[in-house]
Amino acid sequence: MTDTTTTILLRVNGNEQKLTVDNRTTLLDALREGLGLTGTKKGCDMGQCGACTVLLDGRRVVSCLRLAVAADGHDVTTIEGIADADRLHPVQQAFLERDGFQCGYCTPGQICSAVAVLAEHAAGWPSAATADVRPDTAPVPLDAAEIRERMSGNLCRCGAYVSIVEAIGQASEELPS
């Protein structure tokens, strides 16, 4: 009989975590059930809402569609690892100041995605809303249209989108270029 479990090593929020998981376990379930990191939410469980967004090697992924075994050896950052010790990340602070949440269920995924959006923009990555994608052009401003397009994979059933866009815009101004 074939063994259907694998022992994996993840670096979660800076700490090495060794887990034995069923090969069919999603990264979301490994984080929530295996490691007790319940900040990452299970929304649709089909990769459509973004509630389960985490950072994998600094890039955003919907963890409900990623198998835990595929994350073996990689760095995972969840909402619990976004803040710097006792100091909130500028995106977290902006969400508080701009009231970028209502019920809060989607907020961890929104914040993880926003952190990645700001990094992608700083690296010069275009979005579908970017008018001029030639490599020799100046970086596009991170205006509301750019933010909305870049965050389009994260849904908020409460409709806090205006405040979410404002919070990301505020955080982009506070982060070093």
Side-chain angles (χ1 to χ4, degrees), residues 2-67:
T2 305
D3 188 14
T4 60
T5 62
T6 302
T7 299
I8 61 173
L9 181 66
L10 303 173
R11 283 178 299 283
V12 181
N13 301 327
N15 300 312
E16 286 194 350
Q17 301 286 343
K18 192 174 185 179
L19 288 168
T20 300
V21 296
D22 182 291
N23 294 337
R24 300 165 292 180
T25 301
T26 64
L27 179 57
L28 172 62
D29 289 335
L31 294 169
R32 288 183 58 82
E33 297 169 21
L35 297 175
L37 296 171
T38 57
T40 305
K41 303 302 184 208
K42 185 178 279 199
C44 66
D45 214 18
M46 296 186 300
Q48 296 179 347
C49 73
C52 66
T53 302
V54 298
L55 304 178
L56 185 67
D57 295 332
R59 298 196 56 188
R60 56 188 160 157
V61 298
V62 285
S63 60
C64 70
L65 294 183
R66 179 76 51 144
L67 292 176

Side-chain angles (χ1 to χ4, degrees), residues 105-126:
Y105 196 81
C106 72
T107 305
Q110 296 276 359
I111 289 173
C112 285
S113 194
V115 167
V117 160
L118 296 176
E120 292 163 7
H121 181 262
W125 295 7

Side-chain angles (χ1 to χ4, degrees), residues 19-175:
L19 288 168
T20 300
V21 296
D22 182 291
N23 294 337
R24 300 165 292 180
T25 301
T26 64
L27 179 57
L28 172 62
D29 289 335
L31 294 169
R32 288 183 58 82
E33 297 169 21
L35 297 175
L37 296 171
T38 57
T40 305
K41 303 302 184 208
K42 185 178 279 199
C44 66
D45 214 18
M46 296 186 300
Q48 296 179 347
C49 73
C52 66
T53 302
V54 298
L55 304 178
L56 185 67
D57 295 332
R59 298 196 56 188
R60 56 188 160 157
V61 298
V62 285
S63 60
C64 70
L65 294 183
R66 179 76 51 144
L67 292 176
V69 294
D72 184 25
H74 292 274
D75 290 310
V76 179
T77 304
T78 68
I79 190 65
E80 292 91 346
I82 294 289
D84 182 18
D86 293 332
R87 191 172 147 260
L88 292 177
H89 186 281
V91 171
Q92 292 172 309
Q93 188 63 46
F95 264 69
L96 285 173
E97 291 173 10
R98 296 292 184 144
D99 200 23
F101 55 91
Q102 286 184 24
C103 79
Y105 196 81
C106 72
T107 305
Q110 296 276 359
I111 289 173
C112 285
S113 194
V115 167
V117 160
L118 296 176
E120 292 163 7
H121 181 262
W125 295 7
S127 78
T130 305
D132 190 350
V133 296
R134 291 176 296 167
D136 58 340
T137 59
V140 298
L142 194 59
D143 60 16
E146 276 287 330
I147 293 170
R148 282 192 299 272
E149 173 59 32
R150 292 171 186 262
M151 291 292 293
S152 64
N154 290 81
L155 303 179
C156 172
R157 292 186 177 131
C158 298
Y161 295 113
V162 171
S163 298
I164 290 168
V165 170
E166 289 175 357
I168 296 167
Q170 176 182 320
S172 74
E173 294 171 4
E174 295 172 4
L175 286 170

